[in-house]
Amino acid sequence: GDSVTQMEGPVTLSEEAFLTINCTYTATGYPSLFWYVQYPGEGLQLLLKATKADDKGSNKGFEATYRKETTSFHLEKGSVQVSDSAVYFCALVPNTDKLIFGTGTRLQVFP
Amino acid sequence: KAGVTQTPRYLIKTRGQQVTLSCSPISGHRSVSWYQQTPGQGLQFLFEYFSETQRNKGNFPGRFSGRQFSNSRSEMNVSTLELGDSALYLCASSFGPLAGGSNEQFFGPGTRLTVL
């Protein structure tokens, strides 16, 4: 069935380090792909999305490119800040029209 | 513009009881979806309502049900509570249905349900 696999956390980085959080998916057809972020004590917020192959989503310095050949949607940021500490969820909407989430990756950024 | 609101924010119940959670979407949004978040299973889709009709349903037992009113507000009900129902229940609203991901979902802060 449709699923999302993302790297286990926590990911621990120093401020200004480069961030990559891996995400791969299994789905038939051409799903839309998303990254959501959940800050402590808050609900989820949409960070970025891509709806077709080779699309690049970007927001707040974060980027992810929809790679159909590798079924991946890795999240990257060139220089993380302490305020980026949160849990990041990769998700997809396949042709069943259900939002399917990965397990989440906790990011901890230290000054 | 006010965001998605969920009430109550915290709830403690005992096994066998039933519970009703409420979600008020962003003004103008007609689609409401519900999700269950647990440490073990992560975030799982429960159901989606659009214009008072259940449009989609996840793989949950019939004890989980929902409805949507004409003002787009939605309620979720869980009957005969089990310990495993303890979770954060998130509601999300969007202007249109979750069709191919074209409509962005805005999430509420969630209702933390504890079943003793």
Side-chain angles (χ1 to χ4, degrees):
Chain A
D2 304 312
S3 66
V4 176
T5 302
Q6 60 182 110
M7 62 191 288
E8 293 279 334
V11 173
T12 304
L13 295 172
S14 297
E15 210 165 22
E16 299 183 6
F18 184 86
L19 168 71
T20 300
I21 300 178
N22 290 338
C23 170
T24 57
Y25 68 89
T26 301
T28 54
Y30 300 90
S32 295
L33 302 175
F34 305 83
W35 277 100
Y36 282 85
V37 58
Q38 187 173 33
Y39 297 103
E42 298 183 18
L44 275 74
Q45 299 175 27
L46 179 63
L47 183 59
L48 52 85
K49 73 175 186 180
T51 57
K52 60 182 187 296
D54 300 326
D55 263 3
K56 177 186 280 190
S58 61
N59 185 24
K60 299 180 182 180
F62 291 90
E63 292 183 338
T65 301
Y66 188 143
R67 302 283 188 202
K68 184 148 180 70
E69 63 277 12
T70 55
T71 61
S72 65
F73 193 53
H74 305 321
L75 182 68
E76 297 182 334
K77 187 175 185 183
S79 175
V80 293
Q81 305 300 312
V82 172
S83 57
D84 294 327
S85 298
V87 181
Y88 292 81
F89 293 90
C90 185
L92 65 84
V93 175
N95 55 8
T96 55
D97 280 351
K98 298 176 185 179
L99 186 55
I100 297 171
F101 288 92
T103 53
T105 302
R106 182 176 300 280
L107 170 65
Q108 297 174 318
V109 181
F110 293 96
Chain B
K1 161 155 94 163
V4 178
T5 57
Q6 292 187 243
T7 56
R9 292 291 311 276
Y10 302 91
L11 205 48
I12 299 175
K13 292 285 188 180
T14 56
R15 278 181 298 174
Q17 288 187 308
Q18 76 164 18
V19 67
T20 299
L21 312 181
S22 181
C23 172
S24 293
I26 291 172
S27 177
H29 284 190
R30 293 165 61 198
S31 173
V32 173
S33 297
W34 288 89
Y35 300 86
Q36 182 195 64
Q37 185 175 21
T38 60
Q41 299 297 317
L43 273 157
Q44 294 187 286
F45 171 80
L46 278 156
F47 25 67
E48 179 195 7
Y49 286 87
F50 178 72
S51 294
E52 301 178 66
T53 301
Q54 186 179 86
R55 191 172 170 275
N56 218 334
K57 190 176 188 330
N59 297 324
F60 279 82
R63 300 186 295 107
F64 291 81
S65 62
R67 58 179 176 168
Q68 186 179 35
F69 302 95
S70 58
N71 62 357
S72 294
R73 190 177 70 84
S74 177
E75 288 182 346
M76 192 193 94
N77 186 275
V78 187
S79 62
T80 319
L81 284 166
E82 301 177 0
L83 295 179
D85 297 333
S86 294
L88 180 67
Y89 289 89
L90 293 167
C91 162
S93 77
S94 58
F95 179 76
L98 189 66
S102 57
N103 286 290
E104 179 180 348
Q105 292 203 310
F106 294 83
F107 283 79
T111 293
R112 172 81 56 190
L113 171 65
T114 302
V115 182
L116 302 177

